[in-house]
């Protein structure tokens, strides 16, 4: 999975969560009892916390992948420089 695809997936999930929060706000404004709204809010908050933990884990994994990629590129560049340097 490429970094672009991962970022797109993260943004898609964040947009979906934003829509859920917006819908919940609308429901909370129209539902007659605050208990129902509180229960739904707690359920959504629990789900959001879980999703955010996954998003953070995905970001940490992508950062690690980028560091590894950078280290690999640095090694390739070092080898190319060494190969192309005039022999002494």
């Amino acid at each position: 999975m490429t970094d672009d695809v991962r970022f797109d997936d993260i943004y898609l999930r964040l947009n979906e969560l934003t829509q859920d929060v917006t819908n919940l706000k609308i429901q909370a404004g129209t539902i007659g009892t605050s208990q129902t709204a509180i229960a739904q809010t707690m359920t959504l908050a629990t789900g959001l916390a879980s999703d955010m933990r996954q998003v953070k884990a995905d970001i940490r994994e992508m950062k690690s992948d980028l560091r590894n990629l950078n280290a690999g590129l640095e090694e390739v560049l070092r080898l190319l420089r060494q190969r192309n340097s005039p022999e002494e």
Side-chain angles (χ1 to χ4, degrees):
M1 184 179 275
T2 66
D3 289 338
D4 288 340
V5 172
R6 287 180 182 172
F7 278 118
D8 289 343
D9 180 56
I10 289 169
Y11 286 121
L12 176 64
R13 289 190 287 172
L14 288 174
N15 286 335
E16 289 172 352
L17 292 173
T18 301
Q19 290 175 352
D20 288 344
V21 169
T22 301
N23 289 336
L24 186 56
K25 286 179 181 178
I26 292 169
Q27 289 175 9
T30 59
I31 293 175
T33 65
S34 61
Q35 291 151 334
T36 302
I38 290 169
Q40 289 178 339
T41 300
M42 293 303 294
T43 300
L44 180 61
T46 302
L48 287 172
S50 175
D51 289 345
M52 287 309 298
R53 280 190 294 275
Q54 183 59 48
V55 167
K56 285 181 179 181
D58 290 347
I59 290 171
R60 278 192 297 272
E61 182 181 340
M62 288 188 322
K63 284 181 177 180
S64 175
D65 291 347
L66 287 172
R67 280 191 294 272
N68 291 337
L69 177 62
N70 188 45
L73 288 174
E74 289 294 330
E75 180 63 13
V76 168
L77 289 172
R78 185 190 69 75
L79 292 170
L80 287 172
R81 286 184 195 114
Q82 181 181 6
R83 180 178 167 205
N84 290 328
S85 67
E87 294 192 25
E88 298 177 27

